[in-house]
Amino acid sequence: MKRTILTVAFALSMLVDLSASEKPEPYFDNTIVVEFFKPNSFCRAIMNGDTETVKKMIQLGEDINQKSLGMTPLHFAARYNKAEIMEVLLENGADLDKRCDKGYTVRKHAELSNADEALKVLKAANKK
């Protein structure tokens, strides 16, 4: 019995030594994960409130209804309370009725973020 216990303990200690000396390769590169969860450059400009860049990108042919991270640029503008950019997007044909991948409307994103200025723009857009 004593010999069996010593044999098992020795075998386990060898396994521990092997696993400690072998460094497993990472399953994926962390930079890929960061890049995967980063919105596209158009939506980043919206989040930063860079109206001029947004206008230039629209002039260059940026799709104003293309989703990034499951949300359209209008969702980003509403979520981050960028009223001026919302007006630019709406003037250029952004789809006000499109829902994000979670099923939220533009209005819902503005409400969840307490984006008062964005809600005013949405109210004015609904009157037109």
Side-chain angles (χ1 to χ4, degrees):
M1 178 75 171
K2 195 176 194 183
R3 188 175 188 180
T4 305
I5 293 173
L6 288 174
T7 305
V8 170
F10 177 75
L12 288 175
S13 69
M14 293 301 290
L15 287 174
V16 170
D17 285 340
L18 284 176
S19 64
S21 64
E22 295 176 10
K23 302 248 182 198
E25 291 294 318
Y27 182 69
F28 50 83
D29 187 4
N30 289 338
T31 57
I32 294 172
V33 173
V34 171
E35 289 297 317
F36 182 73
F37 292 107
K38 200 186 256 187
N40 64 27
S41 56
F42 188 55
C43 293
R44 281 195 304 253
I46 292 169
M47 290 166 52
N48 292 330
D50 191 348
T51 308
E52 291 306 312
T53 300
V54 170
K55 288 179 182 178
K56 286 178 186 174
M57 291 179 84
I58 291 171
Q59 288 174 351
L60 292 171
E62 186 71 38
D63 182 0
I64 58 174
N65 289 312
Q66 182 180 357
K67 290 184 178 180
S68 177
L69 300 180
M71 298 189 314
T72 66
L74 199 55
H75 289 117
F76 277 97
R79 181 176 180 181
Y80 292 96
N81 201 26
K82 305 300 180 188
E84 183 180 352
I85 293 175
M86 286 181 71
E87 291 171 350
V88 170
L89 292 171
L90 289 169
E91 288 169 4
N92 286 283
D95 186 359
L96 190 58
D97 298 323
K98 200 167 189 179
R99 293 178 177 262
C100 72
D101 288 355
K102 291 184 179 182
Y104 297 153
T105 62
V106 175
R107 177 175 295 286
K108 184 67 174 180
H109 277 284
E111 289 171 352
L112 290 172
S113 300
N114 295 321
D116 295 330
E117 293 175 29
L119 287 169
K120 288 176 187 175
V121 170
L122 291 173
K123 189 174 181 179
N126 285 332
K127 289 181 181 180
K128 292 180 182 179

